[in-house]
């Protein structure tokens, strides 16, 4: 086991602070501080077990795509649980490297690797320095920071090799979803807006930021799977290289136009496209978000592989993961954005019919109509807002 050290003052802990938990196939020891925060150099967040379980399936599915041993770097290692689980639970894994700027984190990563009989390379570097010092070494880079990943995407773009997987987590959802617009503009070079589908916009802003950042290195993305769960957003990006393919990929960058008056929305493709000022339905003023990724954010084949792989994995949150994956599978190849039925009914000043009835009626009229994981009241459909409103009013007459 290789360990690189960097002198740093750490928080103190006692033997009474130590806690041992079981997750997946591993046992982890860590010092438990008063609360999970960026001030605690090592922490175990039980709410992220779902994230780690989903990542196990995604990385195993990507390993099947490459069909050879994969080397992984967990850039923000914490107690080492993610890296230890990757090494222990994913088939055909080569070297796993775990990095954290905290020497205390590295201490427990080493303890936990030894406890689970796995060999892991441990580094103590600032995340961007870690990535730039190890250019072209990893098939999979996992960036799961406490906050925004935006600071590290450029270094990942420089470092990551062609035919690789970039895993990104963002916990600054208030910025990406439009609660705080200025931080989103500052960190992601994109303007958000608050709407019923703001979490999807947030995912697309994050993907668009990654696509534009990697493009300078002639690298382009395919979003294999993405989701917004609890307090974070997560996506798995297949990274390939080529100047022409990158140029073609950037045609997926654009904007989302939204009318607060009638609830019409539409994607506008092109980074420098002509953006209309008024709604084509009611003439109201359009609110614009972007630039963002308007391409697919779910890949059916990849998600189906994740579902199949789950049969052979021991995951504590398997039931919840499968529920998410099945919904994301159904969302693939559907239009950008979705409609919230209760928001539409408030706009109409009527009670809401049952969601299943609206879905069935849309399908019977020849439209795409599926649920979305972003909202229990959301419908993804190619019907326009007027058609949806008419269907709701007809159902209420019945």
């Amino acid at each position: 086991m290789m360990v690189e050290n960097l002198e740093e003052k750490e928080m103190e802990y006692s033997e009474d602070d130590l806690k041992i938990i079981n997750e997946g196939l591993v046992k982890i020891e860590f010092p438990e501080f008063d609360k999970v925060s960026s001030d605690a150099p090592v922490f175990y967040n039980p709410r992220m077990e779902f994230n780690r379980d989903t990542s196990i399936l995604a990385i195993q599915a990507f390993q099947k795509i490459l069909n050879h041993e994969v080397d992984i770097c967990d850039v923000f290692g914490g107690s080492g649980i993610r890296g230890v689980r990757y090494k222990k639970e994913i088939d055909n894994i080569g070297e796993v490297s775990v990095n954290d700027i905290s020497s205390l984190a590295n201490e427990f990563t080493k303890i936990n690797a030894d406890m689970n009989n796995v060999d892991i390379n441990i580094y103590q570097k600032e995340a961007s320095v870690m990535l730039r010092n190890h250019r072209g070494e990893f098939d999979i880079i996992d960036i799961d920071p406490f906050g925004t990943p935006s600071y590290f995407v450029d270094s990942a773009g420089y470092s990551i090799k062609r035919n690789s997987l970039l895993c990104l987590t963002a916990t600054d959802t208030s910025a990406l979803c439009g609660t705080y617009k200025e931080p989103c503009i500052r960190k992601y070079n994109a303007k958000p807006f608050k709407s019923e589908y703001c979490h999807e916009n947030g995912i697309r802003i994050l993907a668009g930021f990654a696509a534009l950042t990697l493009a300078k290195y002639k690298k382009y993305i395919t979003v294999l799977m993405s989701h917004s769960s609890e307090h974070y957003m997560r996506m798995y990006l297949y990274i390939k290289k080529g100047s022409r393919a990158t140029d073609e990929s950037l045609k997926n960058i654009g904007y989302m136009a939204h009318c607060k008056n009638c609830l019409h929305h539409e994607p506008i493709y092109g980074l420098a496209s002509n953006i209309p000022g008024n709604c084509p339905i009611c003439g109201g003023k359009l609110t614009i978000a972007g630039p963002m990724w308007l391409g697919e954010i779910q890949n059916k084949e990849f998600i189906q592989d994740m579902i199949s792989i789950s049969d052979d994995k021991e995951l504590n949150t398997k039931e919840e993961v499968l529920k998410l994956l099945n919904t994301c599978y159904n969302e693939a190849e559907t239009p950008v954005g979705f409609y919230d039925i209760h928001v539409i009914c408030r706009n109409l000043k009527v009670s809401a019919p049952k969601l299943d009835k609206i879905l069935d009626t849309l399908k019977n009229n020849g439209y795409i109509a599926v649920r979305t994981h972003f909202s229990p009241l959301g419908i993804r459909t190619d019907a326009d807002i007027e058609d949806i409103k008419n269907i709701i009013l007809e159902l209420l007459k019945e």
Side-chain angles (χ1 to χ4, degrees):
M1 180 181 299
M2 177 173 63
V3 183
E4 288 196 0
N5 291 315
L6 179 68
E7 291 299 322
E8 182 188 87
K9 184 179 179 181
E10 295 288 2
M11 294 176 67
E12 295 182 355
Y13 70 94
S14 67
E15 292 295 323
D16 294 335
D17 296 324
L18 294 179
K19 186 173 181 179
I20 296 179
I21 59 95
N22 291 285
E23 184 178 299
L25 299 179
V26 306
K27 182 184 290 186
I28 296 292
E29 181 179 76
F30 59 96
E32 188 175 40
F33 297 101
D34 291 337
K35 63 179 181 178
V36 173
S37 76
S38 57
D39 295 328
V42 181
F43 60 87
Y44 167 76
N45 189 347
R47 294 173 65 190
M48 295 300 278
E49 181 177 5
F50 177 87
N51 180 314
R52 291 185 286 267
D53 284 354
T54 307
S55 299
I56 295 287
L57 299 180
I59 291 175
Q60 188 70 82
F62 187 72
Q63 188 279 326
K64 284 182 62 182
I65 292 175
L66 296 188
N67 197 28
H68 61 68
E69 276 194 354
V70 291
D71 296 329
I72 303 177
C73 179
D74 178 13
V75 183
F76 294 89
S79 61
I81 185 168
R82 189 177 289 269
V84 171
R85 287 195 64 189
Y86 288 171
K87 185 70 173 180
K88 188 94 171 179
E89 299 180 37
I90 300 174
D91 301 329
N92 296 315
I93 287 293
E95 291 194 354
V96 173
S97 298
V98 175
N99 176 73
D100 202 290
I101 201 168
S102 163
S103 59
L104 184 58
N106 291 336
E107 176 186 337
F108 277 90
T109 296
K110 185 178 187 307
I111 290 170
N112 291 324
D114 291 340
M115 186 186 301
N116 291 279
N117 298 312
V118 296
D119 188 31
I120 285 177
N121 300 324
I122 303 173
Y123 296 88
Q124 188 183 351
K125 297 178 181 179
E126 190 278 329
S128 291
V129 173
M130 172 67 188
L131 291 169
R132 289 181 178 273
N133 285 355
H134 296 269
R135 185 181 187 187
E137 293 185 17
F138 307 116
D139 300 291
I140 298 166
I141 293 176
D142 197 322
I143 300 178
D144 186 17
F146 198 95
T148 178
S150 66
Y151 310 135
F152 316 104
V153 174
D154 192 281
S155 294
Y158 170 83
S159 172
I160 201 162
K161 59 186 179 183
R162 70 177 71 208
N163 299 324
S164 56
L165 183 70
L166 178 60
C167 312
L168 289 179
T169 301
T171 61
D172 57 334
T173 55
S174 58
L176 285 164
C177 292
T179 302
Y180 302 107
K181 293 181 181 179
E182 288 78 10
C184 186
I185 295 169
R186 181 182 351 111
K187 291 185 283 189
Y188 299 102
N189 310 135
K191 180 176 175 252
F193 65 70
K194 193 75 175 171
S195 70
E196 55 272 24
Y197 52 91
C198 62
H199 285 83
E200 178 177 343
N201 278 356
I203 284 277
R204 293 184 180 279
I205 286 173
L206 179 58
F209 174 77
L212 289 168
T213 302
L214 269 65
K216 71 180 83 171
Y217 301 109
K218 301 177 184 177
K219 295 171 184 174
Y220 63 99
I221 71 168
T222 298
V223 184
L224 296 177
M225 191 260 176
S226 64
H227 64 101
S228 176
S229 302
E230 293 192 9
H231 64 288
Y232 66 91
M233 297 176 183
R234 177 75 163 171
M235 61 177 52
Y236 304 91
L237 307 177
Y238 191 178
I239 310 300
K240 296 182 181 180
K241 189 170 184 180
S243 54
R244 287 187 181 179
T246 299
D247 294 342
E248 188 67 25
S249 172
L250 291 182
K251 292 178 180 178
N252 288 300
I253 299 293
Y255 302 84
M256 178 64 89
H258 176 83
C259 178
K260 294 181 180 180
N261 183 49
C262 72
L263 305 180
H264 164 76
H265 65 244
E266 63 176 296
I268 301 168
Y269 290 83
L271 185 61
S273 56
N274 183 27
I275 300 175
N278 297 101
C279 174
I281 304 295
C282 71
K285 184 179 179 181
L286 289 174
T287 303
I288 307 297
M292 64 174 68
W293 180 259
L294 297 177
E296 293 291 338
I297 56 173
Q298 313 290 357
N299 182 285
K300 276 196 168 185
E301 184 178 352
F302 185 79
I303 295 172
Q304 183 58 61
D305 281 345
M306 290 177 67
I307 294 170
S308 300
I309 289 166
S310 69
D311 292 338
D312 300 321
K313 301 296 182 184
E314 293 185 26
L315 308 172
N316 292 337
T317 68
K318 184 183 289 190
E319 185 176 340
E320 295 92 334
V321 170
L322 287 176
K323 181 180 178 181
L324 169 70
L325 292 178
N326 280 294
T327 305
C328 289
Y329 177 87
N330 291 329
E331 287 188 77
E333 301 171 10
T334 56
V336 178
F338 63 89
Y339 295 97
D340 184 300
I341 296 306
H342 281 200
V343 173
I344 294 176
C345 289
R346 282 200 299 271
N347 181 267
L348 290 170
K349 297 182 171 59
V350 297
S351 300
K354 288 185 177 180
L355 191 66
D356 287 340
K357 284 189 175 182
I358 300 173
L359 286 166
D360 290 342
T361 305
L362 284 166
K363 290 175 184 175
N364 290 338
N365 287 342
Y367 293 114
I368 297 169
V370 299
R371 292 177 180 269
T372 173
H373 84 278
F374 289 107
S375 168
L377 300 172
I379 289 180
R380 307 187 77 89
T381 180
D382 55 345
D384 64 33
I385 187 64
E386 289 185 307
D387 292 330
I388 298 170
K389 287 180 176 179
N390 288 334
I391 285 171
I392 288 172
L393 294 173
E394 287 298 320
L395 287 172
L396 289 174
K397 286 182 182 177
E398 295 174 5

